[in-house]
Amino acid sequence: MKTRLALLLTLIFSVISTAPSSAAGDRFALVIGNAKYPDADAPLKEPINDTHDVADELKRDGFNVDVGENLNGDGMRRAFDKLYGKIKPGSVALIFFSGFGIQSNRQSFMIPVDAQIWTESDVRRDGISLENVLGEINSRGAGVKIALIDASRRNPFERRFRSFSAGLAPVIAPNGTLVMYSAALSSVISDNGGDHSLFVQELLKEIRVPDLAAEETLNRTRVGVTRASRSEQVPWISSSLAEDFSFIPGAPGGPRPPSPPPAPPPGPVATLTPPPPSAPPPPPADPLPSRPAPPAIEAPVIPPPAEKPADKSDSSSQVALADDPTIKSLTAKIAENPDDTNALYRRGQVYASKGAYDLAIKDFDDTIRLNAKDVEALNNRCWARAVTGDLQAALKDCNEALRLRPNFVDALDSRGLVNLKSGMTKNAITDFDAALKINPRLTSSLYGRGLAKQRNGSISEGNLDIANAKAMDPNIIQEFDSYGVH
């Protein structure tokens, strides 16, 4: 491992909390602007000003807002942990991040100012995964999740291990999520040299329009940015919102008072020494500690499932899926290059997240045909086959994924689901136990183990696992219902 470089500049750290007002309700926001990266030639001009403007607007819209400036890795993790702690079932949680972002291993990462990135694996070590953040927010019960990411910038880190800046990857987010990037997938922009980004200027303009649904607000922002940049910058949007939400609260038709004039520029930010975290963050799912997995146990006979979840792959649903902006973008990439394994895999993930399992399996088939050792694709095909009831094939996929990566926590979790649906409760408990030893906060394994223990006769132990899983993720019952497990 390369020696970590010392920071060349003094880290300016500040997290500014605003006390909740009576209008804040259950709206919570974390707004982060990272501008002073020691590895960059000069500080970014836009993030700090944009962060203050976005925070001020969200406060007027009834959000309880925390602001972070120039946060290092520990500072970002503590800021997100603080946000997680505020979330209540049914609340709205919003994150805004302006700074550098990098995609790696098919995920997008927000980069702290002290990141030491020399190889791609360093991105996953030092960066903050957007998908993990949204998953954690969802597990706390938030009804509406919104992520506004202004991080599709050319950055100094990728030049060390890539010949180009790759932009951001499509995010696979839980239901009830609205995500917007300031630029198209896999594309990057440069700061415009001004004090504010074009993206934030257009975003704030549309947020201030009363009686607009959030999706319409972001769609109008995309149009505004596209026109102003003469199509050189086209923001990307992905939405799975299941309920109405608008930035300006209040009854329909009740316009908000005019926004006050912008506040004067903030004074110097005090330099603080970040306090040590009260508790270490939960262990990431990957990379994983070296640990042998339990032996693969092939069931001699796997009974068919009692019921098969409906697959949303009929002709009318396929038309709706084809209009999804994420799927459109990925399909265009695949049309240009049918052997683009990254696009095939990501489209398969999107199909699976929308319940189109047969379409997902086809994409994972093509991904594995092109790379038989793609353990993520093998695991995802295992899971999709388990949901649809093709349990023999699912078990084979999970066993192969675990042969290639013996302590792959996601494959252990998926194989536990296969064994649970197959009636092999002891095998399911073994797999879920192994997964939870690696990641104790994996709610799907905790809930699955609870069901397996109940079916194996350990009722009180099973009830305890299920209660703990429901406390961590109030939506876990509906998730397993969608898998055909009740």
Side-chain angles (χ1 to χ4, degrees):
M1 180 180 294
K2 296 180 181 292
T3 304
R4 296 172 66 90
L5 296 179
L7 287 180
L8 302 179
L9 299 175
T10 301
L11 179 65
I12 298 177
F13 172 87
S14 172
V15 175
I16 307 164
S17 298
T18 63
S21 68
S22 59
D26 289 338
R27 293 178 167 215
F28 304 103
L30 173 61
V31 179
I32 297 176
N34 283 350
K36 292 190 175 182
Y37 290 87
D39 288 351
D41 294 334
L44 297 172
K45 294 184 177 181
E46 300 167 350
I48 302 303
N49 291 330
D50 287 344
T51 293
H52 282 277
D53 287 351
V54 170
D56 289 344
E57 181 59 35
L58 292 175
K59 292 172 195 175
R60 288 193 288 268
D61 294 340
F63 280 84
N64 178 307
V65 183
D66 284 346
V67 179
E69 297 178 18
N70 294 318
L71 298 186
N72 61 12
D74 287 342
M76 286 186 68
R77 293 184 193 95
R78 285 197 299 274
F80 280 115
D81 285 343
K82 184 177 180 181
L83 174 66
Y84 303 151
K86 293 180 178 181
I87 296 171
K88 305 169 186 175
S91 59
V92 177
L94 181 149
I95 62 172
F96 171 87
F97 176 78
S98 180
F100 287 139
I102 301 176
Q103 68 162 286
S104 175
N105 199 31
R106 300 162 174 159
Q107 290 193 48
S108 294
F109 292 82
M110 298 169 283
I111 307 301
V113 295
D114 66 341
Q116 296 295 307
I117 296 173
W118 296 93
T119 66
E120 187 159 5
S121 61
D122 294 338
V123 177
R124 300 188 292 275
R125 181 198 65 205
D126 286 359
I128 306 294
S129 166
L130 176 59
E131 288 188 8
N132 288 350
V133 168
L134 291 173
E136 184 66 25
I137 290 172
N138 184 64
S139 74
R140 301 301 177 106
V144 174
K145 285 79 64 176
I146 300 175
L148 306 172
I149 309 298
D150 191 4
S152 302
R153 292 179 168 93
R154 293 181 177 85
N155 64 75
F157 304 109
E158 287 183 283
R159 291 196 294 268
R160 297 168 176 171
F161 60 91
R162 290 180 181 145
S163 60
F164 62 96
S165 290
L168 301 181
V171 61
I172 308 304
N175 287 336
T177 303
L178 184 58
V179 179
M180 186 172 197
Y181 295 161
S182 58
L185 299 174
S186 300
S187 66
V188 293
I189 56 175
S190 299
D191 275 10
N192 60 23
D195 293 330
H196 299 84
S197 74
L198 174 61
F199 171 68
V200 169
Q201 291 177 43
E202 294 295 326
L203 174 66
L204 294 178
K205 184 190 306 180
E206 299 303 336
I207 285 180
R208 291 164 183 158
V209 177
D211 305 326
L212 274 188
E215 288 185 3
E216 180 62 17
T217 297
L218 299 194
N219 281 326
R220 289 170 60 146
T221 300
R222 177 172 57 185
V223 171
V225 172
T226 303
R227 287 176 177 168
S229 67
R230 298 183 179 180
S231 299
E232 291 183 3
Q233 180 180 348
V234 182
W236 175 82
I237 301 172
S238 176
S239 176
S240 62
L241 285 185
E243 59 184 271
D244 292 335
F245 173 78
S246 61
F247 287 97
I248 299 178
R256 187 183 58 169
S259 298
V269 180
T271 301
L272 305 176
T273 301
S278 57
D286 196 15
L288 304 173
S290 177
R291 178 185 179 281
I297 304 174
E298 290 280 0
V301 177
I302 296 183
E307 56 184 288
K308 178 178 177 179
D311 189 287
K312 301 174 184 177
S313 300
D314 56 72
S315 57
S316 60
S317 295
Q318 286 191 38
V319 172
L321 288 168
D323 288 335
D324 179 90
T326 307
I327 293 174
K328 268 187 175 181
S329 174
L330 293 169
T331 299
K333 285 179 174 290
I334 295 166
E336 293 175 4
N337 178 14
D339 293 340
D340 187 337
T341 55
N342 185 60
L344 285 164
Y345 173 85
R346 295 297 287 186
R347 192 176 68 176
Q349 284 189 304
V350 178
Y351 279 142
S353 71
K354 295 181 179 296
Y357 300 111
D358 289 342
L359 294 174
I361 289 169
K362 289 177 183 177
D363 279 346
F364 295 140
D365 285 345
D366 287 337
T367 306
I368 295 165
R369 173 180 56 80
L370 293 165
N371 179 10
K373 295 184 178 181
D374 190 328
V375 292
E376 286 87 3
L378 283 164
N379 167 65
N380 276 276
R381 190 172 69 177
C382 167
W383 170 76
R385 284 174 163 174
V387 174
T388 61
D390 190 0
L391 301 179
Q392 286 280 13
L395 185 60
K396 183 178 178 181
D397 280 343
C398 275
N399 285 341
E400 177 63 9
L402 287 164
R403 184 188 70 80
L404 293 168
R405 187 186 294 176
N407 51 359
F408 185 15
V409 67
D410 291 341
L412 288 167
D413 181 66
S414 296
R415 193 170 71 182
L417 176 64
V418 175
N419 283 322
L420 180 64
K421 293 192 71 171
S422 305
M424 309 297 290
T425 54
K426 290 183 178 179
N427 291 353
I429 292 170
T430 299
D431 282 334
F432 290 137
D433 277 342
L436 289 165
K437 285 178 181 177
I438 298 169
N439 182 2
R441 293 185 60 83
L442 191 58
T443 52
S444 54
S445 283
L446 189 59
Y447 186 81
R449 187 177 70 177
L451 292 177
K453 284 180 176 179
Q454 284 183 337
R455 296 177 186 183
N456 203 43
S458 300
I459 305 300
S460 59
E461 290 184 15
N463 289 342
L464 179 61
D465 277 349
I466 289 172
N468 287 334
K470 288 165 62 178
M472 293 165 63
D473 182 0
N475 302 313
I476 194 66
I477 297 176
Q478 293 89 336
E479 180 180 330
F480 269 71
D481 282 345
S482 72
Y483 301 161
V485 180
H486 311 289

